[in-house]
Amino acid sequence: MADENMEVEIARLDERLKSIERMLVDVVAGQKEAIDGRRRGYEAQERTEREMIGINHRLTSVEKSVEAIRPTTVELERVRDRVVFAGSLGKVLWAIGKAVISAAAGAAAAYYAMTGRPPP
């Protein structure tokens, strides 16, 4: 009887130890998953940091390029203003030219009407 009780106690202890062992295996597996998760998080953070550094360098290059073409942009604006002014001046001169030609044609017609001869 004592041997049976002892065997039962040993069996219970053995089951408890197996249960503790399974729990320890689960804890170790969870720690490995946590380590992998942290590693992936750090890798993602490093990739993001490298991408941000690359974007920062590209943005700096774009800013330098914009500063480099600023004089060209200012000159282009001046040329555009000159072209707009020249177009307006051309329209005014064209209107004056049409008026002068019309006046000359009218004067020639009046001379012809009054004298009956073509103008000299």
Side-chain angles (χ1 to χ4, degrees), residues 4-51:
E4 285 182 24
N5 284 339
M6 188 64 109
E7 287 180 16
V8 170
E9 286 295 320
I10 290 174
R12 285 183 185 161
L13 283 174
D14 191 41
E15 285 300 317
R16 284 184 184 166
L17 286 175
K18 286 180 183 178
S19 173
I20 290 172
E21 184 180 3
R22 283 191 300 268
M23 287 171 43
L24 286 174
V25 167
D26 289 344
V27 168
V28 168
Q31 287 179 344
K32 285 182 181 179
E33 288 178 14
I35 288 170
D36 289 342
R38 282 192 300 272
R39 181 182 47 79
R40 286 191 303 271
Y42 291 139
E43 289 172 353
Q45 183 180 4
E46 288 175 2
R47 276 193 312 271
T48 303
E49 183 179 359
R50 283 192 301 268
E51 288 175 3

Side-chain angles (χ1 to χ4, degrees), residues 33-114:
E33 288 178 14
I35 288 170
D36 289 342
R38 282 192 300 272
R39 181 182 47 79
R40 286 191 303 271
Y42 291 139
E43 289 172 353
Q45 183 180 4
E46 288 175 2
R47 276 193 312 271
T48 303
E49 183 179 359
R50 283 192 301 268
E51 288 175 3
M52 288 183 69
I53 289 170
I55 289 170
N56 190 21
H57 286 301
R58 290 174 57 195
L59 180 61
T60 302
S61 297
V62 168
E63 288 173 344
K64 287 179 183 178
S65 297
V66 168
E67 286 300 318
I69 65 169
R70 188 172 305 272
T72 306
T73 306
V74 170
E75 182 64 25
L76 179 64
E77 289 173 354
R78 273 193 243 135
V79 169
R80 184 195 64 210
D81 293 342
R82 288 179 189 160
V83 168
V84 168
F85 175 74
S88 300
L89 181 63
K91 287 179 185 177
V92 169
L93 291 177
W94 186 255
I96 290 171
K98 287 193 301 186
V100 167
I101 290 173
S102 295
Y111 182 82
Y112 183 73
M114 289 188 345

